[in-house]
Amino acid sequence: MKFVKRLLEKALVREVIVYGCFGVLTTIVGFGSYALFIHLGLSVAISNTLSHLLAILFAYVTNKIWVFKARDYSAKQIATEFFKFLSSRLLAFVIDTALLILLVDFLHYDPILSKAATSVVVVILNYFMSKMVVFRKKQA
């Protein structure tokens, strides 16, 4: 029993580390594209929307394949997972956008630093939503 518990603990640690690595890469995709869109003169809301779309596509693929190792590639499973993934990311997007509007438009903080701060909240929320809702393993 202790052996099984240690294996589960190691698997969870591996999952969190891999999620963290891909979370950083996803944040770079989102943050980088956000900075680019801001630099191009787009509004905070439009820049955030476009950067989220790019980050969501990147995150779904990396989470499915490498983080949670969801091996069912049937069209039905992918559609179901992707819908759940998009829904959970929509919640994170709403929270992120609300925080950005508060920080940038009302408190007049720097849009890039504000995005960095809200990204921390988003990464944590996304892990738990992916783990508990999107890629939840079926009980045997």
Side-chain angles (χ1 to χ4, degrees), residues 26-112:
T26 300
T27 300
I28 290 169
V29 168
F31 186 81
S33 59
Y34 175 79
L36 174 65
F37 297 139
I38 288 290
H39 180 73
L40 293 173
L42 298 177
S43 71
V44 168
I46 290 172
S47 296
N48 197 49
T49 301
L50 293 175
S51 68
H52 258 76
L53 291 174
L54 292 174
I56 285 169
L57 292 173
F58 179 81
Y60 175 74
V61 171
T62 59
N63 277 244
K64 178 168 182 61
I65 295 171
W66 291 292
V67 177
F68 299 105
K69 296 184 177 183
R71 300 294 188 225
D72 187 343
Y73 294 102
S74 67
K76 181 181 177 185
Q77 183 65 22
I78 288 173
T80 300
E81 280 175 355
F82 196 66
F83 176 77
K84 288 178 183 178
F85 196 81
L86 282 174
S87 298
S88 68
R89 291 314 201 248
L90 178 61
L91 173 62
F93 168 76
V94 168
I95 291 168
D96 187 41
T97 301
L99 289 172
L100 278 172
I101 290 169
L102 173 68
L103 293 171
V104 175
D105 293 340
F106 291 100
L107 299 176
H108 307 289
Y109 289 123
D110 180 78
I112 302 301

